[in-house]
Amino acid sequence: VIQSPSFERWLEHAFDHPEEDPKWHRRPGGEHWSGEPALKAEHIARTFELADEHLARFSDQQIEAGLWMIIGEGYAGAALDDEVPSELRVRLVRSTCDLFQKLFAARCRRLELGGGPPIYRICYMFWEIFPLENKPEHPRDAALCEEKISALERILEIDNPMCQYSALHGLGHAQFELPERSAAIIDSWLVKHETADPRLREYAQDARTGDIQ
């Protein structure tokens, strides 16, 4: 167990592991960071905000494994807990736009339906496993959920098919909680991107009704 890691130590903990051991964090005795949700939020947001710089030395496989650990194994969930100051939680959600713009858009250069090779998978699945609902269960979470939908809308406008695919995936899931808002964002994208990859436009039509994998 590590405690109060520096930012550099955090990067090592999350990403600096052998490519052949992507599930290192699930092994008995594997290194784990417990508690300190506010510091988690700070470190994750900082990682995303300058992802091109902070993650440049890591391979696609290492980045994918680290992001799966952060988003899918409780770290981001702890960072978005109610006890974390609201401005820090909003910053974390907003920083996802930087992650897509600065990292995924640079490393995922083509459309891979279903995810495909390393880093493409986490790009595609990011919003399915991101631990934040689309509609707030409590009024105090309204700004946070609004930030998530706004992030999806901004990511959908990045000139990169995998970023757009991921955002459509997220909006497809939002269709069940915010059908009018989700459909309006997708409709706007379809109007502005008539020449987009036909596979992506077809997926957008499916996402509009929530009929996605």
Side-chain angles (χ1 to χ4, degrees):
V1 176
I2 61 173
Q3 290 291 326
S4 304
S6 66
F7 182 68
E8 183 58 33
R9 178 70 181 88
W10 151 251
L11 291 177
E12 293 175 357
H13 167 66
F15 300 100
D16 195 6
H17 300 275
E19 293 181 1
E20 61 272 15
D21 189 20
K23 296 182 179 180
W24 58 268
H25 52 280
R26 294 185 179 179
R27 285 189 283 102
E31 187 176 75
H32 183 69
W33 178 15
S34 62
E36 304 182 298
L39 185 58
K40 281 189 174 79
E42 170 72 29
H43 282 353
I44 294 170
R46 184 177 172 188
T47 301
F48 289 178
E49 287 165 350
L50 292 173
D52 52 338
E53 297 180 19
H54 297 318
L55 304 182
R57 69 182 187 268
F58 302 113
S59 69
D60 289 353
Q61 291 87 345
Q62 289 174 308
I63 292 172
E64 172 158 294
L67 290 176
W68 273 107
M69 186 271 291
I70 292 169
I71 303 303
E73 298 291 337
Y75 280 39
L80 292 169
D81 189 81
D82 291 345
E83 68 179 275
V84 176
S86 60
E87 64 273 15
L88 190 51
R89 292 190 292 154
V90 168
R91 177 189 167 193
L92 192 163
V93 177
R94 185 175 297 147
S95 73
T96 60
C97 295
D98 295 311
L99 178 70
F100 277 82
Q101 180 72 66
K102 298 176 181 181
L103 182 80
F104 289 138
R107 297 210 183 201
C108 303
R109 305 305 296 271
R110 63 186 184 276
L111 180 61
E112 287 280 353
L113 297 181
I119 213 170
Y120 284 78
R121 287 188 294 263
I122 186 62
C123 177
Y124 168 60
M125 290 295 293
F126 189 91
W127 295 106
E128 183 162 330
I129 63 174
F130 192 75
L132 178 65
E133 298 296 328
N134 298 299
K135 190 174 183 179
E137 296 182 0
H138 191 282
R140 66 173 175 265
D141 295 325
L144 200 61
C145 293
E146 173 60 29
E147 193 65 47
K148 177 184 176 181
I149 298 300
S150 296
L152 287 167
E153 187 171 15
R154 292 194 297 273
I155 292 166
L156 188 56
E157 291 304 322
I158 296 174
D159 186 20
N160 176 276
M162 278 304 297
C163 291
Q164 294 171 349
Y165 184 38
S166 179
L168 289 168
H169 190 183
L171 289 166
H173 285 288
Q175 179 67 24
F176 299 101
E177 298 160 295
L178 300 169
E180 293 182 1
R181 179 78 183 280
S182 174
I185 293 171
I186 294 172
D187 285 345
S188 176
W189 182 84
L190 284 166
V191 168
K192 291 186 289 185
H193 296 84
E194 293 184 351
T195 60
D197 188 313
R199 297 172 297 166
L200 199 56
R201 287 183 58 83
E202 180 180 1
Y203 190 80
Q205 294 286 2
D206 291 339
R208 194 185 183 285
T209 61
D211 184 21
I212 58 170
Q213 297 295 322

